[in-house]
Amino acid sequence: MIADILSRLPVKSLLRFKSVCKSWHCMITDSSLGFQALHYDRSQRKPRFLLQWPDFDFRPLEPAGCRYVYNFISIDTEGNMISPIQVKVQEPVKLILPGCYGLVCLATETRIHVFNPSTRHLIALPTDRGEIAGFGIGYLSSAKGHVIVRLNIPRQSRTSLSWKLECSVFTFLPENGGPKWRAVKDGCPYLVEQFSFPAFANETIYWKIDRGKHQALHRHNDFIVSFKISDEKFQTITHPTDWRPETHRQWRSPVRNSTQLVELRGHLYMVETAAFSYVAVWKLTDPGNSMWSKACTIDISKFHPSFVGELQCVKGTEIIFNSFTHLLLYYDEENKTSRKKILPCSAANLTIYCESLTFPATQHV
């Protein structure tokens, strides 16, 4: 009964309640007891957004070596502010991945930071040799732990794009002297879009292939590379339609606009915005055979182009998009209606996450 009640509370309250008694401390902090999983399961019904302010503070004389201070606010799906959040890193952040089981990844040129917006824990993963060609975060339920996957361009293939990308996996468990990157035997078959958003669904990380750098694919409509973290195997998935490029310029995107990979309702979805006239949403029903089903098509011709950005999440029957302005756009699939919500700064700097107590490190922001 106590666990059921406490699992409905926000993380901020639970961090204070750890001090009530030893039994509560053990229940809240021990992931093996199942409380953290129960809490996260309920948190998924109330996702949150990290909204990044458009500027940051540059502090070259920071004593601890943290030169960049990024300010965020946490908001709910209706745009209401919950709390401010500050993150300090040593390099400019180039990409922030959507949350995975409560954690988000912040990528710089040379390293990956793992951050829990709820507990304020932050860790910078140790650097590894080679240029980062892509990365992703996943969660392995059998091990009750996160997996960070990094793709590197092999040194001997910097001038040859025919080589596979090297793959390494980061484990937070002490092995052979401490946490480290572990090489995976099989390499990634294609270059992936380096700083585009991968998606995680069904214990698999999905990246878009960088088609602009591949004029010869194994299959003409190969579009996605997947990595199943349980067996550490790569696979390629074709585009939902039998698309063939007519010219070299069409290799990068079959819709000549935006194509997004996103996890919705526990599955991988592909979202295509075509010439600001419609949004097509596809669901991957059979990854092994590259089978897709059309989830819906949304007519956006009546919206201003800057109103429709990336799809963020689903709330009931509503699909929530960010924008290139100060707006969130809500589209109701059943009623075919839309509404807008004004935000304090640009919605383009938006990252979704769910509250979680999970974190493998002890460093606080």
Side-chain angles (χ1 to χ4, degrees):
M1 177 65 72
I2 294 177
D4 182 73
I5 295 173
L6 293 182
S7 66
R8 303 173 189 272
L9 300 178
V11 168
K12 185 177 180 180
S13 299
L14 293 174
L15 294 178
R16 295 200 308 266
F17 290 166
K18 288 193 305 180
S19 304
V20 171
C21 60
K22 290 184 178 179
S23 62
W24 282 26
H25 183 278
C26 181
M27 177 181 62
I28 293 172
T29 58
D30 191 345
S31 60
S32 64
L33 298 179
F35 176 81
Q36 293 182 4
L38 176 62
H39 179 269
Y40 181 75
D41 182 61
R42 290 192 163 130
S43 297
Q44 286 183 298
R45 305 169 196 174
K46 298 179 180 180
R48 296 182 174 185
F49 295 129
L50 275 183
L51 187 61
Q52 181 184 347
W53 296 105
D55 57 351
F56 58 86
D57 297 329
F58 181 64
R59 302 182 183 180
L61 300 178
E62 191 79 17
C66 296
R67 302 173 61 192
Y68 295 89
V69 181
Y70 286 86
N71 295 304
F72 300 86
I73 56 172
S74 176
I75 62 175
D76 62 22
T77 52
E78 286 296 328
N80 301 309
M81 180 175 173
I82 299 173
S83 63
I85 299 174
Q86 192 176 83
V87 181
K88 297 180 180 181
V89 293
Q90 294 180 347
E91 299 175 276
V93 174
K94 297 193 65 174
L95 185 68
I96 303 176
L97 295 191
C100 173
Y101 207 90
L103 303 188
V104 299
C105 278
L106 294 77
T108 67
E109 285 285 358
T110 63
R111 64 177 59 194
I112 300 169
H113 297 76
V114 184
F115 176 55
N116 186 329
S118 305
T119 64
R120 309 298 199 268
H121 284 94
L122 174 73
I123 184 174
L125 302 190
T127 56
D128 194 21
R129 294 182 179 179
E131 177 185 349
I132 297 179
F135 72 101
I137 181 172
Y139 184 81
L140 190 59
S141 56
S142 60
K144 297 182 179 180
H146 287 80
V147 174
I148 311 297
V149 178
R150 174 173 172 169
L151 305 176
N152 291 341
I153 300 176
R155 291 182 178 274
Q156 64 268 32
S157 64
R158 297 304 169 90
T159 59
S160 173
L161 298 179
S162 61
W163 287 64
K164 291 183 177 181
L165 296 176
E166 295 176 341
C167 177
S168 53
V169 174
F170 188 84
T171 173
F172 293 96
L173 300 177
E175 294 179 358
N176 300 325
K180 65 176 183 178
W181 292 97
R182 174 177 54 81
V184 174
K185 181 179 179 180
D186 294 330
C188 180
Y190 291 119
L191 288 174
V192 302
E193 293 190 3
Q194 184 178 17
F195 285 104
S196 67
F197 293 109
F200 174 74
N202 295 318
E203 300 198 342
T204 304
I205 301 174
Y206 300 88
W207 295 270
K208 288 191 296 182
I209 296 171
D210 191 341
R211 299 175 67 98
K213 296 182 178 177
H214 290 284
Q215 298 184 32
L217 303 175
H218 303 315
R219 294 177 293 187
H220 71 272
N221 59 345
D222 273 348
F223 198 76
I224 295 172
V225 168
S226 68
F227 180 78
K228 195 168 184 64
I229 61 176
S230 57
D231 59 15
E232 298 186 346
K233 298 294 183 182
F234 284 97
Q235 178 186 332
T236 59
I237 300 171
T238 59
H239 191 270
T241 61
D242 188 24
W243 175 80
R244 293 175 182 270
E246 297 177 358
T247 66
H248 174 69
R249 291 183 179 181
Q250 290 182 336
W251 276 103
R252 184 167 294 276
S253 174
V255 293
R256 285 172 280 174
N257 278 289
S258 66
T259 305
Q260 175 196 2
L261 303 180
V262 61
E263 181 273 328
L264 297 174
R265 302 185 179 105
H267 297 277
L268 177 74
Y269 282 73
M270 177 184 290
V271 183
E272 296 184 333
T273 304
F276 296 113
S277 61
Y278 68 89
V279 173
V281 183
W282 299 82
K283 175 184 177 182
L284 183 62
T285 55
D286 183 356
N289 296 305
S290 296
M291 298 295 294
W292 300 81
S293 63
K294 192 70 161 295
C296 65
T297 301
I298 304 173
D299 181 7
I300 61 171
S301 58
K302 59 184 178 180
F303 299 125
H304 189 278
S306 63
F307 286 174
V308 183
E310 293 178 328
L311 193 157
Q312 293 293 332
C313 67
V314 173
K315 180 182 179 183
T317 61
E318 288 186 316
I319 298 177
I320 304 178
F321 295 87
N322 67 2
S323 69
F324 303 105
T325 63
H326 290 59
L327 295 173
L328 287 180
L329 177 66
Y330 302 77
Y331 179 83
D332 194 305
E333 293 181 88
E334 290 186 356
N335 301 322
K336 312 299 180 185
T337 58
S338 63
R339 61 188 179 94
K340 304 180 183 71
K341 179 71 176 183
I342 299 177
L343 298 176
C345 60
S346 174
N349 301 315
L350 199 70
T351 304
I352 187 171
Y353 76 100
C354 295
E355 278 214 312
S356 172
L357 289 160
T358 305
F359 203 80
T362 57
Q363 180 182 352
H364 287 268
V365 176

